[in-house]
Amino acid sequence: MFGRHNHHHHGRHPFGFHGHGHQHHRRGGRVGRFFDHGDLRLVVLKLIAEKPSHGYELIKAVEEAAGGAYTPSPGVIYPTLTLLEELGYATAADAGGGKKLFSITPEGLAFLEQNDAPVRGLFERMADVASRSAAFSPQILRARENLKTAMKLKLTGERLSDEQIATVVAALDEAARKVEQA
C-alpha cells in the first residue's frame, strides 16, 4: 500500500506517498509515485467489479477517486488490464469502435474478497487525498476537460495561421495569469 516504505531516501510526498509506484507530478516539479506495486491492479479490479468499464472510463474513475491528485496514463492502465485478463481476474468484450469493455470474473471477485482490507484501505486513502485536494472540484475538472478538448480539436485540424496561433497563446497565457492570481 502507498506510504508504507519509510526506509527509502525519498522525501515524504505532500499527501504521504513516497517516491515509488506510478509516477505522479506535483506543483514545483516534485515527482513521486502514487501507488506501490500491485495497488493499481486492486483499484482497477474493484472499479470494474462495481461497473464494467472501458480503459478511458477507468482512468477517469481513478482520477476522481484520487481527487485529481493522480491520473493514471493509458500506458499504465492498459497493461494493468492486460495483466488482470492474463491472471483470469477480468475479461474484455469487444464494445465496437476498437473499444473493449472490461468486466470482473468469478476468480477476480474471489481475489478481491481475499484482499478486502487492502482494497478498502486504498480507497479510504484516496478519499482522504481527495478531501484535501483542491484539484478535485467538479467545476475545475469540467473546465479543465473543456480546455483539453478545445485544444485537441483546434490542434488536430487544419494548420493554424499565425493569427490563430497568437490568439490561442494569448488566451492560454491570460488563463494561466488568472489562475495564478486566484
Side-chain angles (χ1 to χ4, degrees):
M1 238 179 281
F2 38 77
R4 69 174 177 223
H5 292 30
N6 295 323
H7 62 278
H8 285 270
H9 298 288
H10 304 287
R12 263 193 88 72
H13 185 281
F15 296 114
F17 303 105
H18 296 277
H20 52 279
H22 302 292
Q23 287 199 353
H24 163 66
H25 299 272
R26 298 296 309 160
R27 186 178 176 146
R30 167 94 170 100
V31 177
R33 294 192 173 213
F34 198 83
F35 291 115
D36 277 345
H37 180 72
D39 288 349
L40 184 61
R41 175 178 31 190
L42 290 171
V43 169
V44 168
L45 198 56
K46 174 71 172 166
L47 291 170
I48 64 173
E50 293 173 355
K51 176 185 174 273
S53 302
H54 303 285
Y56 180 76
E57 292 171 320
L58 291 165
I59 290 169
K60 292 301 167 194
V62 172
E63 178 182 42
E64 186 175 322
Y70 172 71
T71 304
S73 70
V76 171
I77 283 291
Y78 289 104
T80 299
L81 289 165
T82 299
L83 176 63
L84 291 172
E85 277 188 284
E86 290 171 355
L87 292 170
Y89 297 159
T91 184
D94 184 8
K99 290 186 177 183
K100 291 183 179 180
L101 185 65
F102 293 89
S103 303
I104 196 163
T105 64
E107 294 82 8
L109 282 172
F111 181 73
L112 258 185
E113 288 174 12
Q114 293 167 0
N115 289 281
D116 183 60
V119 170
R120 276 188 287 117
L122 284 165
F123 277 87
E124 287 168 6
R125 290 176 191 209
M126 286 191 299
D128 182 54
V129 169
S131 72
R132 295 186 281 143
S133 175
F136 183 67
S137 149
Q139 299 91 346
I140 290 173
L141 286 177
R142 180 202 48 78
R144 187 179 73 193
E145 289 303 313
N146 283 349
L147 175 61
K148 284 169 52 177
T149 300
M151 290 295 296
K152 192 176 294 183
L153 290 172
K154 183 54 79 177
L155 299 177
T156 58
E158 298 176 8
R159 185 181 183 307
L160 300 179
S161 69
D162 290 342
E163 183 179 313
Q164 288 172 308
I165 291 170
T167 300
V168 169
V169 168
L172 292 173
D173 287 343
E174 176 65 13
R177 186 183 62 74
K178 287 181 176 181
V179 168
E180 287 174 355
Q181 293 174 349

